[in-house]
């Protein structure tokens, strides 16, 4: 596994076009690999945009193969700088994980729940995925998944037990965004035109501190992602040592 950091040059027209469309940026990320691994059942290409400001935008990619982002440098980077991106082996961090360790984490995700859309028919309900809108419900969405994902969000010391995860845990929710963009679906038959449709994805970023409970499950999360909309910049969780331990 490999971890890549690419700073985007937001002054370039092509860079702004990529940032406006997760579909185009996803395609540009995948173009860095000669053979794209299957999206299901194991490690996959995950990516995330971190926006510190309008001019400080960094693309992070986790992938089973080492990428070549020469094309992305030409479109959205600084071509005179070499190589224009940083890639390092991700395996040492994955192998370092152990139960009981504490890490700071960041995750951009698409927290959704399913709601009924019509009356029961044949003892079944039709449902659709609907985004959680409030930070409280978004935080609860993450905590509902923590056990099977191999970690526990650290509880705040000195805080009484509460149903509000943001009050009782070392967790913040920020950077809520709604991504609206167009997507071309494959044609229904070999001779037909591609189908254009609108896509809307609600995303939010979680920052917090976790404790490792199941190393295999957490490794799977770090390499295969968590939640939906992974093709659109969601699902990539990254870890960093707790600040008091960085010296």
């Amino acid at each position: 596994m490999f971890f890549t950091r690419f700073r985007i040059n937001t002054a370039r027209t092509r860079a702004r076009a990529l940032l406006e469309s997760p579909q185009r940026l996803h395609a540009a990320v995948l173009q860095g690999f000669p053979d794209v691994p299957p999206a299901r059942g194991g490690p996959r290409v995950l990516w995330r945009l971190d926006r510190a400001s309008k001019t400080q935008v960094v693309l992070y990619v986790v992938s089973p193969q080492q990428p070549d982002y020469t094309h992305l440098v030409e479109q959205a980077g600084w071509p005179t700088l070499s190589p224009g991106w940083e890639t390092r082996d991700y395996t040492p961090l994955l192998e370092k994980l152990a139960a009981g360790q504490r890490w700071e984490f960041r995750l951009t995700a698409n927290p959704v729940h399913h709601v009924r859309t019509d009356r029961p028919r044949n003892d079944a309900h039709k449902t659709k995925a609907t985004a959680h809108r409030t930070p409280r419900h978004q935080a609860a969405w993450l905590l509902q998944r923590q056990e099977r994902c191999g970690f526990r969000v650290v509880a705040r010391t000195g805080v009484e037990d509460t149903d509000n995860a943001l009050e009782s845990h070392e967790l913040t929710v920020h950077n809520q965004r709604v991504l609206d963009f167009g997507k071309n679906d494959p044609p229904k038959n070999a001779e037909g035109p591609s189908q254009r449709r609108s896509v809307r994805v609600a995303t939010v970023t979680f920052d917090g501190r976790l404790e490792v409970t199941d190393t295999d499950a957490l490794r799977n999360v770090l390499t295969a992602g968590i939640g939906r909309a992974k093709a659109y910049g969601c699902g990539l969780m990254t870890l960093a040592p707790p600040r008091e331990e960085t010296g």
Side-chain angles (χ1 to χ4, degrees):
M1 295 297 297
F2 296 89
F3 182 88
T4 299
R5 181 184 186 276
F6 184 104
R7 183 175 172 189
I8 294 178
N9 184 351
T10 58
R12 305 193 68 178
T13 302
R14 180 57 178 165
R16 293 195 294 270
L18 290 173
L19 293 175
E20 290 171 358
S21 171
Q23 179 74 6
R24 288 194 293 264
L25 185 52
H26 175 62
V29 167
L30 295 186
Q31 287 167 9
F33 306 93
D35 301 299
V36 179
R40 296 181 181 274
R44 57 175 293 162
V45 178
L46 300 168
W47 62 273
R48 186 183 79 220
L49 284 176
D50 281 7
R51 304 170 186 256
S53 67
K54 289 184 178 180
T55 60
Q56 295 277 340
V57 181
V58 178
L59 170 69
Y60 293 102
V61 181
V62 166
S63 58
Q65 307 167 22
Q66 186 168 353
D68 182 341
Y69 282 137
T70 302
H71 69 288
L72 200 53
V73 173
E74 294 171 351
Q75 298 174 35
W78 286 266
T80 60
L81 301 180
S82 179
W85 69 92
E86 304 171 21
T87 296
R88 66 175 184 265
D89 188 357
Y90 205 36
T91 305
L93 183 142
L94 297 174
E95 293 180 343
K96 179 182 179 180
L97 295 175
Q101 289 177 341
R102 291 193 174 188
W103 297 83
E104 293 187 2
F105 72 89
R106 172 166 289 181
L107 166 69
T108 293
N110 170 226
V112 300
H113 64 292
H114 289 81
V115 298
R116 296 175 180 177
T117 59
D118 58 10
R119 295 180 179 178
R121 181 182 301 173
N122 298 327
D123 297 324
H125 290 275
K126 184 178 180 181
T127 64
K128 69 174 183 178
T130 303
H132 284 297
R133 297 297 183 185
T134 68
R136 179 171 178 168
H137 286 99
Q138 291 158 349
W141 173 91
L142 180 61
L143 264 62
Q144 290 167 2
R145 285 153 180 78
Q146 62 180 350
E147 181 177 354
R148 66 175 178 265
C149 289
F151 65 87
R152 180 186 304 111
V153 178
V154 176
R156 296 186 186 274
T157 58
V159 176
E160 295 183 3
D161 189 23
T162 172
D163 291 335
N164 189 339
L166 295 174
E167 295 178 356
S168 58
H169 293 78
E170 295 190 29
L171 180 67
T172 60
V173 176
H174 62 100
N175 197 28
Q176 297 191 54
R177 302 173 63 88
V178 176
L179 310 177
D180 287 298
F181 55 96
K183 178 183 179 182
N184 289 324
D185 288 336
K188 295 182 178 180
N189 56 69
E191 299 180 356
S194 61
Q195 304 295 312
R196 186 73 171 176
R197 64 185 177 93
S198 296
V199 178
R200 169 171 284 197
V201 178
T203 71
V204 67
T205 298
F206 300 96
D207 283 339
R209 184 173 300 195
L210 62 78
E211 180 178 315
V212 181
T213 58
D214 183 328
T215 54
D216 289 337
L218 183 55
R219 288 188 190 105
N220 183 67
V221 163
L222 296 177
T223 58
I226 178 173
R228 298 162 56 98
K230 297 182 182 72
Y232 305 132
C234 296
L236 172 57
M237 173 182 279
T238 52
L239 304 179
R243 278 168 289 184
E244 69 267 22
E245 297 179 13
T246 60

